[in-house]
């Protein structure tokens, strides 16, 4: 059941009198019949014993004082950590004291959830002191020990519980759920980058819809801008859901790509601020894309998202409600703003957005499909989207006698406009002939 390189490490440890176990998510995945993404090993020994046992292996020991050694298995780097138990979490993250032990059950006792608190030995035997296998069978997320204590030790475990519920499509056990409700405000004390990493995983889960709908108050601690969306009737014929439920359903309907799902989480976040009702009682949200874009950027920066994610999600939120006509001319101009890659991502965004609206307007899916067809056709034709795509450049214009400087750029953009308008083809001789008018 375990890969050969992992078995070799466990065997090597045993030859040095150290009992080792695969622990954590890898065991959970194996029990569920899934292929683990990575493997961690727990060792029933002290740090100095672990270091000595692997002195002849490629390793690095920058964390050995914490009982962790990274060893190369011949295929990948594996983190091996000495069994330990912990006490006191005055900073709500790190234990005040750590003591190493030679008891895998004590080590498992400090872990967050029963499904993650199992160990597997070299012969495939499973150590499961807290009923992890039974909870997997019943699709339950349950804290090891007292839930309030687990969440007080490290509040990140609150959103980790939601993440596992989303990714595994499990239910959260009642006592654990109650503790999540009681301790949710502790999430405000967790570092943004830790929250963001878990949030991204949560959003990519198959069970994301039920988690978003059931735990809006908890998510509202880390993203308070979402709370005004909860329960807000849109009073608009296009919408049969509240703003928040529309957001949740659009996330679930979108492709499982991080930036797109973050976009759907934020795309309508400022609808409450833009909301007004006309004299006929119909709700409108003019300007909400730009407002939501600004708020999305602020949230992502607060959560310490990387600059590339901020840029791409901001772009998608800004253009999520743009609806060019399904004609070559209109879509060509649109592509000049968003590019081919951006246009296809925005089609995914629009489809997800539409999926979470009233079924009465699902005929618009035909418009999206036609737009996609035309975009594909324009790409095959190699249409110009920028002056860099023109078959003439600044040097060509200088040779014609056009003066250097600002004038060159003006002529190039004029030529691009003529190409986009269909008045001239992007052919070198035609463009040069046209440019001679500006000499």
């Amino acid at each position: 059941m375990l890969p050969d390189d992992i078995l070799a490490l466990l065997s090597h440890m045993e030859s040095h009198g150290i009992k080792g176990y695969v622990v954590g998510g890898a065991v959970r995945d194996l029990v569920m019949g899934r292929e683990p993404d990575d493997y961690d090993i727990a060792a029933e020994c002290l740090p100095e014993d672990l270091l000595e046992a692997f002195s002849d292996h490629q390793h690095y020991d920058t964390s050995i004082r914490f009982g962790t050694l990274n060893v190369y298995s011949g295929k990948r780097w594996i983190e091996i950590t000495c069994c330990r138990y912990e006490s006191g979490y005055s900073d709500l993250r790190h234990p005040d004291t750590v003591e190493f032990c030679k008891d895998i059950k004590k080590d498992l006792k400090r872990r967050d959830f029963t499904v993650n608190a199992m160990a597997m030995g070299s012969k495939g035997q499973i150590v499961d002191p807290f009923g992890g296998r039974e909870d997997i069978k019943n699709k339950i997320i349950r804290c090891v020990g007292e839930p309030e204590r687990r969440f007080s030790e490290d509040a990140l475990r609150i959103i980790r519980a939601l993440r596992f519920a989303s990714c595994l499509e499990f239910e959260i056990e009642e006592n654990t759920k109650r503790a999540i409700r009681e301790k949710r405000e502790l999430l405000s004390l967790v570092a943004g980058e830790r929250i963001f990493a878990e949030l991204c995983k949560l959003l990519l889960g198959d069970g994301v819809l039920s988690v978003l709908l059931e735990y809006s108050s908890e998510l509202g601690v880390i993203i308070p801008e979402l709370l005004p969306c909860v329960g807000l009737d849109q009073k608009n014929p296009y919408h049969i859901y509240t703003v928040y439920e529309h957001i949740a359903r659009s996330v679930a309907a979108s492709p499982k790509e991080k930036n797109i799902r973050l976009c759907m989480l934020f795309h309508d976040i400022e609808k409450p601020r833009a909301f007004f009702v006309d004299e006929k009682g119909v709700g409108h949200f003019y300007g909400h894309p730009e407002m939501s874009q600004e708020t999305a950027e602020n949230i992502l920066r607060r959560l310490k998202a990387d600059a590339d994610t901020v840029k791409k999600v901001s772009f998608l939120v800004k253009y999520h409600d743009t609806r060019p006509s399904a004609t070559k001319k209109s879509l060509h101009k649109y592509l000049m703003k968003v590019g081919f890659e951006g246009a296809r991502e925005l089609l995914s965004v629009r489809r997800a957005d539409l999926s979470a609206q009233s079924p009465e307007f699902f005929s618009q899916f035909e418009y999206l499909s036609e737009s996609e067809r035309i975009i594909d056709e324009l790409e095959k034709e190699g249409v110009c989207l920028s002056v860099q795509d023109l078959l003439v450049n600044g040097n060509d214009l200088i040779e014609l006698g056009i003066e250097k400087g600002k004038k060159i750029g003006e002529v190039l953009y004029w030529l691009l406009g003529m190409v986009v308008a269909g008045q001239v083809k992007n052919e070198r001789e035609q463009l040069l002939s046209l440019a001679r008018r500006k000499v």
Side-chain angles (χ1 to χ4, degrees):
M1 185 178 286
L2 293 173
D4 291 343
D5 62 321
I6 302 300
L7 288 171
L9 290 180
L10 295 175
S11 177
H12 180 80
M13 292 166 66
E14 289 175 6
S15 70
H16 285 74
I18 300 171
K19 187 67 175 176
Y21 298 87
V22 172
V23 291
V27 182
R28 180 195 68 233
D29 290 343
L30 288 168
V31 170
M32 293 180 68
R34 299 180 174 186
E35 181 68 30
D37 291 328
D38 53 34
Y39 290 83
D40 293 315
I41 293 176
E44 291 183 331
C45 69
L46 299 178
E48 55 267 29
D49 300 326
L50 186 62
L51 188 58
E52 182 180 349
F54 285 100
S55 60
D56 58 346
H57 276 62
Q58 187 179 355
H59 69 272
Y60 59 93
D61 57 5
T62 53
S63 301
I64 193 63
R65 64 193 180 97
F66 300 111
T68 298
L69 186 69
N70 289 276
V71 178
Y72 191 64
S73 72
K75 293 183 179 179
R76 52 194 152 184
W77 287 97
I78 301 295
E79 189 172 273
I80 305 177
T81 302
C82 297
C83 291
R84 63 183 189 264
Y85 56 92
E86 304 163 344
S87 60
Y89 290 79
S90 56
D91 67 353
L92 300 179
R93 178 180 179 185
H94 302 99
D96 296 329
T97 60
V98 174
E99 294 189 40
F100 299 108
C101 62
K102 298 181 180 181
D103 187 340
I104 187 64
K105 291 182 180 179
K106 284 186 177 180
D107 184 82
L108 296 175
K109 188 177 181 179
R110 68 181 176 83
R111 297 176 184 268
D112 50 11
F113 309 111
T114 60
V115 296
N116 297 330
M118 298 179 288
M120 179 179 288
S122 59
K123 294 181 174 58
Q125 72 276 25
I126 293 179
V127 180
D128 180 19
F130 306 106
R133 280 178 293 185
E134 188 67 17
D135 283 344
I136 287 174
K137 178 181 177 182
N138 295 321
K139 298 187 174 183
I140 293 292
I141 299 297
R142 183 196 312 271
C143 280
V144 173
E146 300 174 12
E148 294 83 359
R149 180 178 177 181
R150 288 281 90 90
F151 296 139
S152 294
E153 289 171 349
D154 186 353
L156 185 70
R157 288 170 174 166
I158 295 172
I159 195 166
R160 277 174 60 81
L162 305 188
R163 186 254 282 191
F164 285 121
S166 174
C167 293
L168 300 177
E169 294 187 273
F170 283 14
E171 289 290 327
I172 297 178
E173 178 265 339
E174 286 303 317
N175 288 331
T176 302
K177 184 184 296 187
R178 188 179 306 113
I180 287 173
R181 306 283 194 218
E182 292 175 359
K183 298 291 184 178
R184 65 187 176 214
E185 294 300 330
L186 293 177
L187 281 170
S188 63
L189 304 176
V190 180
E193 60 269 24
R194 299 181 75 213
I195 290 285
F196 185 64
E198 293 294 331
L199 176 65
C200 290
K201 294 174 183 177
L202 185 162
L203 291 176
L204 295 175
D206 289 333
V208 64
L209 177 59
S210 60
V211 170
L212 290 179
L213 292 179
E214 186 170 0
Y215 297 95
S216 58
S217 296
E218 287 64 40
L219 291 167
V221 175
I222 57 178
I223 308 176
E225 295 89 342
L226 281 171
L227 293 176
C229 300
V230 178
L232 180 60
D233 184 349
Q234 303 196 61
K235 299 184 183 300
N236 187 288
Y238 284 92
H239 292 281
I240 59 175
Y241 303 113
T242 65
V243 175
Y244 183 78
E245 186 168 353
H246 165 74
I247 287 172
R249 289 181 177 277
S250 69
V251 170
S254 65
K256 288 201 286 186
E257 298 174 17
K258 184 191 73 173
N259 291 337
I260 290 179
R261 291 214 160 176
L262 283 168
C263 166
M264 303 322 298
L265 185 67
F266 299 136
H267 77 289
D268 282 351
I269 201 165
E270 284 297 357
K271 270 191 169 181
R273 191 153 62 95
F275 183 51
F276 82 94
V277 180
D278 66 20
E279 64 279 2
K280 296 181 180 179
V282 178
H284 301 277
F285 308 91
Y286 299 127
H288 83 272
E290 295 77 13
M291 296 163 69
S292 296
Q293 176 197 15
E294 181 180 359
T295 297
E297 288 181 3
N298 291 336
I299 293 168
L300 290 169
R301 290 194 177 100
R302 187 173 72 227
L303 295 177
K304 304 295 189 298
D306 60 277
D308 186 60
T309 296
V310 175
K311 179 181 178 181
K312 289 180 178 178
V313 174
S314 172
F315 164 84
L316 293 173
V317 173
K318 177 181 179 180
Y319 289 106
H320 83 268
D321 206 33
T322 303
R323 308 176 193 189
S325 300
T327 64
K328 275 194 170 185
K329 185 176 180 180
S330 181
L331 285 169
H332 193 168
K333 290 181 178 179
Y334 176 66
L335 286 166
M336 290 174 67
K337 289 183 180 180
V338 304
F340 285 106
E341 181 182 356
R344 291 195 172 89
E345 289 183 331
L346 285 163
L347 281 170
S348 294
V349 166
R350 289 287 300 128
R351 286 191 173 101
D353 201 352
L354 184 58
S355 296
Q357 296 178 15
S358 172
E360 291 183 29
F361 299 94
F362 280 3
S363 59
Q364 291 186 27
F365 281 117
E366 296 177 11
Y367 151 76
L368 295 175
S369 295
E370 177 64 8
S371 296
E372 186 172 33
R373 184 192 68 76
I374 294 172
I375 288 170
D376 288 343
E377 190 174 314
L378 288 170
E379 186 173 32
K380 288 179 182 177
E381 292 174 0
V383 296
C384 289
L385 301 186
S386 69
V387 293
Q388 285 76 28
D389 295 327
L390 292 172
L391 294 182
V392 296
N393 56 38
N395 292 330
D396 296 320
L397 300 187
I398 292 170
E399 289 182 9
L400 288 180
I402 297 174
E403 60 186 282
K404 294 181 180 180
K406 183 179 178 181
K407 182 73 172 177
I408 295 293
E410 290 176 351
V411 174
L412 286 172
Y413 277 102
W414 175 68
L415 290 173
L416 177 62
M418 297 294 279
V419 171
V420 173
Q423 296 185 35
V424 65
K425 291 184 178 181
N426 185 25
E427 294 178 357
R428 181 176 175 80
E429 292 307 318
Q430 287 193 40
L431 293 172
L432 290 174
S433 177
L434 194 61
R436 286 189 182 95
R437 300 181 188 177
K438 299 295 183 177
V439 176

